[in-house]
Amino acid sequence: MKRQVFKILAKVNKAILPSYSKKNLNLAKLSKLQLAIIGWRYYVTKNALD
């Protein structure tokens, strides 16, 4: 059940949130909001794959 919820969240993230990895941005220069988005996407993806 938990994994299914995270899979749905991962699809929503992919549709709504921006992808910073395709833009080749420097992590040291990102704002706190951009870092939070990256962290959230990582957390959801990690739990969707477990």
Side-chain angles (χ1 to χ4, degrees):
M1 178 69 184
K2 178 182 171 185
R3 186 174 180 196
Q4 291 173 338
V5 171
F6 279 105
K7 282 192 172 203
I8 292 169
L9 275 175
K11 288 182 183 181
V12 171
N13 282 349
K14 187 173 183 180
I16 295 175
L17 296 177
S19 175
Y20 295 120
S21 63
K22 293 180 182 177
K23 297 179 182 178
N24 294 329
L25 299 177
N26 185 359
L27 289 177
K29 295 182 180 180
L30 295 180
S31 70
K32 297 292 182 186
L33 177 63
Q34 291 170 324
L35 289 173
I37 290 172
I38 291 171
W40 171 252
R41 288 184 68 139
Y42 171 77
Y43 173 74
V44 171
T45 302
K46 181 178 149 289
N47 285 306
L49 295 175
D50 284 342

